[in-house]
Amino acid sequence: LRFQAVDIRVGTFALVPAHATVGEDKVLPVERPVFQPCRFLKKFYKLKCAKTKIPDEPPPVQLDFEQIAAEIHFRREIVERCIHETLLFFAGALRDKKEVEFSFK
């Protein structure tokens, strides 16, 4: 499985290689979503993060807000603000120990 992390300024998101056990004797390679908030976000919201680390190699890439904006026909600034506000809301929900769920298409 190929690994790539994306730095979205408030943290880094990646699909990290993992293994899933199926049945009694089958192990399948899978990708597990991991989000590591930046130090400021962790400190500000008093978040305790899982021990799973995102590998440093290859280095994280920046999220391409321009490409996303072009694909969904919104201005880049709106796309960037929406993504950051969503992540800040998510961090606040985690801080307050609320149950949250994200869906990815």
Side-chain angles (χ1 to χ4, degrees), residues 14-60:
L15 294 172
V16 296
H19 292 48
T21 304
V22 181
E24 291 183 25
D25 58 352
K26 278 191 172 181
V27 176
L28 298 174
V30 295
E31 292 178 317
R32 188 163 62 95
V34 175
F35 177 70
Q36 287 182 334
C38 67
R39 271 187 246 139
F40 171 77
L41 203 66
K42 283 193 270 190
K43 186 175 181 178
F44 185 80
Y45 285 104
K46 299 177 182 144
L47 299 175
K48 294 190 190 260
C49 298
K51 302 290 182 206
T52 304
K53 296 290 181 191
I54 295 175
D56 294 331
E57 292 296 324

Side-chain angles (χ1 to χ4, degrees), residues 78-93:
I78 292 172
V79 170
E80 190 170 357
R81 275 191 246 135
C82 285
I83 290 171
H84 287 166
E85 287 296 321
T86 300
L87 291 170
L88 290 172
F89 177 79
F90 181 63

